[in-house]
Structure formats: C-alpha cells, structure tokens
Amino acid sequence: MSWSRALSGSSPMRTKDCGSGLVVRSRMDCAKQAWPTVRLSMELEAPVSKERLWGFVSDLRSFLTTDPYHRRVLAMRRPIGAGTHLAIEHGLLGVTFFRFGRLLNWNEGRGYSFSDLSSRGPRHGFPHIFEVTLESHRESGREFSTLRIEVKGRWTAWPIPAVLRSWWLKFTCALHLRMLRRKLQDLCE
C-alpha cells in the first residue's frame, strides 16, 4: 500500500508513536470540492487487530462522539443494526441541538454507514452520511488495521464565501482526525 498522496488536496501520511516503536499513521483528503457537494475522507492505520478496532468503532456512543461536534448519540432500539434510528446531540460555539439519522447499513466486523440530518429536514443544515470501514493486513509479522471514514454531503449554507467553507471543512476534518488518532494511540497501549 502506498502512503503517498492519493489525490490532489490530500495530506501525506502522518505518524504518531504508539510505544514499542509502533506508530498510528493517518491522513485526510479534503480535495477541491465540487460545490455544493462535499466529500471528505480520513484514514488511520494502527498496530492493532481488526477485532480490537471493531470493538472501539462498533461502540457508537463512544466512537461517534469522537467527532468534534457530536456530544451524545442515542440509538432508538437495541440491538442496533441497519435501520436503527439515531438521535445525535451536537454542540457548536456553545449551542446544543439535536440532529437525526439512521444506520444505513451494518456489516459486523467490517463497517457501517449512517446519516446525520437536520431536524428541519434533509435539505437543510448540511445533510451528510458517514461511511466507516475497516481492513487489516500484516506487516513485518504484525497485524495492522486501517480505519477509513468518508463523509459525503451537501453544503446548504450558501451565503458563506467559498474560501471560508473550504477552511471550515479542512479545520473540522483535521480536528476529527487528531481526536481519532489519540483514541487509536490508547488502543495500541
């Protein structure tokens, strides 16, 4: 697997020591957007088993609140699976509000996707989906797992200038990636 820039606008893979000389590697891609469509991706590789990473990722209350704006996630039924409705408490600039979505698919041990929509409907407030996938591979006799998160949505706040939109998306993506990298470092120890 090549860790060079995959697309223009993507960041090079960063490394963070995980102890024992092992590292969590990460990168993000906020390539030029075709407005109003938004596509962002984050990728992290950690020296942990896919099963251990799935244990973290499948705990929605913990994993989804690693997003810088998600404060709390409530699943509307147990056990969770495709079709489960979600209430996602968001916080931004001191304001708290709920957005709603549902699990669009659930592939045990491999990933899932969910929607995150405004309470005013799917045409307001940056409607988007998250796709979370896991893969594993061996390198020098050690198992590594890769976590990929893709965010696909539609920018709906038209009065905001393109430069500010682009800055905001890159800032948010970088902050989310930093928070995830810290969590994965904890899994390595």
Side-chain angles (χ1 to χ4, degrees):
M1 176 187 299
S2 169
W3 294 109
S4 62
R5 292 181 186 205
L7 299 169
S8 63
S10 67
S11 66
M13 189 62 84
R14 290 189 178 177
T15 60
K16 195 74 169 176
D17 191 359
C18 211
S20 306
L22 301 170
V23 295
V24 172
R25 298 188 284 192
S26 62
R27 71 174 167 199
M28 67 181 195
D29 184 357
C30 299
K32 185 173 171 89
Q33 306 292 320
W35 300 106
T37 301
V38 173
R39 293 185 80 105
L40 308 169
S41 66
M42 294 168 277
E43 184 175 306
L44 298 102
E45 181 184 82
V48 298
S49 69
K50 187 176 174 184
E51 292 76 23
R52 186 161 183 193
L53 185 57
W54 177 252
F56 167 58
V57 169
S58 64
D59 177 0
L60 297 183
R61 287 185 177 181
S62 176
F63 179 71
L64 297 186
T65 56
T66 307
D67 182 293
Y69 307 118
H70 295 175
R71 300 291 176 253
R72 184 170 49 141
V73 176
L74 304 169
M76 298 298 153
R77 74 168 185 195
R78 297 273 184 239
I80 59 172
T84 300
H85 289 270
L86 303 171
I88 307 167
E89 182 180 346
H90 283 65
L92 178 62
L93 303 173
V95 177
T96 299
F97 53 96
F98 273 92
R99 291 173 57 93
F100 302 92
R102 69 182 174 92
L103 283 170
L104 303 172
N105 68 45
W106 183 271
N107 296 309
E108 190 69 28
R110 295 190 338 216
Y112 55 85
S113 64
F114 69 95
S115 57
D116 186 344
L117 307 172
S118 169
S119 60
R120 296 186 311 155
R123 297 193 186 280
H124 302 279
F126 184 48
H128 56 286
I129 63 167
F130 284 81
E131 293 178 351
V132 178
T133 57
L134 302 178
E135 294 177 2
S136 65
H137 68 279
R138 296 193 84 67
E139 193 175 295
S140 302
R142 178 153 181 102
E143 186 172 11
F144 283 81
S145 295
T146 302
L147 167 63
R148 282 192 189 87
I149 301 171
E150 288 190 60
V151 180
K152 300 173 184 175
R154 185 168 202 76
W155 189 269
T156 57
W158 290 105
I160 297 175
V163 168
L164 189 55
R165 288 190 304 241
S166 181
W167 176 85
W168 180 257
L169 291 170
K170 287 179 183 176
F171 168 79
T172 299
C173 197
L175 183 57
H176 194 176
L177 191 64
R178 194 171 322 130
M179 293 170 74
L180 286 166
R181 197 169 33 242
R182 283 188 196 128
K183 290 284 189 176
L184 291 185
Q185 285 174 267
D186 292 344
L187 279 181
C188 295
E189 297 169 355

